[in-house]
Amino acid sequence: MKRMLRLALTLCLLASAGHCAAQAIVRKSFARAERQTALLDSLLTAPDLFPASWNPDGTIKTNTARGWISGFFPADIWLLYEYTRDAKWLDMARRRTAPLDALRHYTKTHDLGFMVGCPCSLAYRLTRDDYYKQLMIDSSEALISRFDPAVGLIRSWNNKDGKANPFRVIIDNMMNLEMLFLASEFTGDSRYRDIAVTHADNTLKNHFRADNSCFHILCYDAGTGSVVTQKGGQGYSQTSAWSRGQSWGLYGFTMCYRFTHDRRYLDRAVKSAEYFINHPNLPEDKVPYWDYYAPGIPDEPRDASAAAITASALLELARYVPEKEKLYYKTAEKILRSLASDRYLIPAGEKNGFLIDHSVGSKPSKSQVDVPIIYGDYYFLEALLRLKNYKSHK
Ligand code: GLY
């Protein structure tokens, strides 16, 4: 009996040691995030520009509200407010979110979920200010204008010549569905949700390969709705596996399961999780190379943003899959421990206030390679908050 008690006590101590270690990563990273965000805000004096990434010449690459990354810096600040409840972050978050109002009726992008949904869903949850809710509803209306019922998908990019074909759809687009699910919850109007489900169903049907990886870009025929060709996009090739794309797929279908409880979405997310966890080219620290089949592995840049997105997704998926909960939680924790290490976490005061280093925007376009990128910071902070609040469901 005594031995049993000692064993139980040891297990309990070990469990709480693990918990304490995880909380230490969260505290350290958020303390750094506060310093870095204050710096980035002070350097970025233009009120209506948004930080995208760090240029090797030491300047900040910025976008207007119309750049797909515009929502992430405001969203970072909302996460800081959620963590600290300090009014200074609330004021800054409101100020940095305000220029996104320009997107309310903007129909030329499929990325409105990233641009408006990410910051405004946090803003609404934390303030209950209807302004943010309405901005998401209006932006959802703009987003569904890109849905084509004949194809059953939301169009990603417009063609420069204005032609209907090719009708391109990228895996990233799964992430924009979250705002549509929310818009239906806010309004009771099922159109947004129905479109999100149709888009997810067709992505499920067409975007994944037998080995459980996914393509970046599919080109559909706008007339028939059938797939014409696949493209490598930001990945190495048509047959390789672009790391961030795999993360978008994992996160996107986990999120779709949250709103629908459709087992097919959960199964898809689990397969994507297994792809990540078991991949022979995944490095020991679990921060993937920018493509799982980049030709120069192990001398290829990592993509810390893909790791951060994956960690955040795994911490949600862990709650839905009891038999894999421990594996997913531990994998996410390991990723976050790596990102919080000196290899990735940017020293206070450096790189203009970005938080994590070594992400890749698009290697084929030689754009933003091995630099800090704002969405890496956002998903890192989101994942840390999920880790902080994690309660085992066993
Ligand atoms: N959504 C574009 C990217 O992930 O780079």
Side-chain angles (χ1 to χ4, degrees):
M1 188 64 189
K2 251 190 191 162
R3 197 138 41 97
M4 293 279 285
L5 211 62
R6 215 176 304 131
L7 183 67
L9 200 65
T10 312
L11 284 176
C12 181
L13 279 173
L14 280 176
S16 68
H19 179 76
C20 287
Q23 297 310 317
I25 300 172
V26 175
R27 275 196 304 277
K28 168 186 167 183
S29 305
F30 266 92
R32 187 69 54 85
E34 288 201 75
R35 293 271 308 266
Q36 293 298 86
T37 304
L39 175 61
L40 187 47
D41 182 63
S42 71
L43 294 174
L44 191 69
T45 46
D48 51 358
L49 287 182
F50 298 86
S53 65
W54 182 84
N55 293 319
D57 67 3
T59 56
I60 302 169
K61 179 174 170 51
T62 56
N63 280 182
T64 66
R66 292 185 174 192
W68 82 273
I69 54 79
S70 58
F72 293 117
F73 185 53
D76 283 354
I77 306 166
W78 285 111
L79 290 175
L80 282 183
Y81 174 58
E82 178 168 9
Y83 181 76
T84 61
R85 296 290 168 167
D86 184 331
K88 82 174 178 223
W89 298 121
L90 175 62
D91 293 344
M92 190 191 289
R94 282 193 184 279
R95 168 164 61 77
R96 288 289 179 183
T97 305
L100 298 174
D101 197 270
L103 300 170
R104 190 180 290 274
H105 303 296
Y106 185 57
T107 57
K108 288 192 182 149
T109 176
H110 64 281
D111 277 327
L112 289 164
F114 286 121
M115 298 152 82
V116 175
C118 282
C120 292
S121 57
L122 287 165
Y124 181 63
R125 180 160 60 73
L126 294 166
T127 65
R128 291 287 146 196
D129 182 340
D130 282 342
Y131 167 82
Y132 296 113
K133 180 162 86 171
Q134 194 56 48
L135 186 50
M136 282 189 278
I137 295 167
D138 292 341
S139 303
S140 296
E141 201 60 42
L143 180 55
I144 63 171
S145 72
R146 303 182 65 80
F147 178 73
D148 185 329
V151 188
L153 287 150
I154 296 167
R155 182 190 287 276
S156 292
W157 306 297
N158 293 349
N159 295 319
K160 286 207 176 82
D161 57 11
K163 292 210 173 110
N165 278 318
F167 188 105
R168 289 172 294 175
V169 179
I170 58 176
I171 187 66
D172 327 25
N173 213 347
M174 286 298 300
M175 301 295 285
N176 293 298
L177 307 183
E178 183 166 358
M179 184 171 72
L180 298 184
F181 284 116
L182 289 174
S184 277
E185 285 186 359
F186 293 148
T187 58
D189 181 342
S190 63
R191 283 178 308 134
Y192 312 106
R193 178 190 170 93
D194 292 346
I195 286 174
V197 166
T198 306
H199 184 99
D201 283 350
N202 283 316
T203 302
L204 185 66
K205 189 166 96 191
N206 297 322
H207 235 103
F208 289 86
R209 306 183 178 107
D211 72 351
N212 288 321
S213 65
C214 65
F215 298 102
H216 183 199
I217 306 171
L218 291 190
C219 299
Y220 289 86
D221 180 279
T224 64
S226 49
V227 177
V228 178
T229 183
Q230 302 92 1
K231 289 196 188 297
Q234 284 160 252
Y236 171 61
S237 77
Q238 192 187 352
T239 52
S240 72
W242 174 47
S243 297
R244 197 162 53 258
Q246 311 312 307
S247 306
W248 293 142
L250 166 63
Y251 191 118
F253 279 99
T254 304
M255 173 274 296
C256 284
Y257 178 74
R258 183 199 321 153
F259 286 101
T260 61
H261 300 289
D262 186 328
R263 291 285 317 186
R264 294 172 311 139
Y265 297 161
L266 186 64
D267 291 347
R268 179 63 264 158
V270 166
K271 285 180 187 155
S272 296
E274 307 287 314
Y275 184 83
F276 175 86
I277 290 168
N278 299 324
H279 204 287
N281 290 342
L282 182 68
E284 214 281 314
D285 69 0
K286 304 208 185 300
V287 178
Y289 298 100
W290 66 278
D291 189 297
Y292 289 91
Y293 295 101
I297 289 175
D299 300 317
E300 291 278 358
R302 308 293 190 87
D303 183 7
S305 77
I309 297 158
T310 298
S312 194
L314 287 176
L315 286 169
E316 177 168 11
L317 189 61
R319 292 167 30 217
Y320 307 145
V321 192
E323 66 280 14
K324 295 285 171 83
E325 178 178 10
K326 201 165 162 201
L327 174 65
Y328 295 167
Y329 177 91
K330 285 276 162 213
T331 306
E333 193 193 45
K334 169 82 185 172
I335 294 171
L336 294 175
R337 190 180 303 283
S338 298
L339 296 180
S341 73
D342 289 347
R343 176 164 183 181
Y344 298 95
L345 196 68
I346 295 170
E350 291 190 13
K351 300 217 165 163
N352 294 343
F354 284 91
L355 185 59
I356 59 167
D357 210 343
H358 305 301
S359 291
V360 172
S362 176
K363 184 111 188 308
S365 316
K366 299 187 175 57
S367 166
Q368 302 173 11
V369 177
D370 199 18
V371 290
I373 306 184
I374 198 69
Y375 42 84
D377 294 359
Y378 170 71
Y379 286 101
F380 179 51
L381 292 179
E382 182 187 77
L384 287 166
L385 272 187
R386 288 181 174 186
L387 186 71
K388 174 177 179 283
N389 298 328
Y390 197 87
K391 303 240 176 328
S392 174
H393 287 242
K394 279 200 171 156

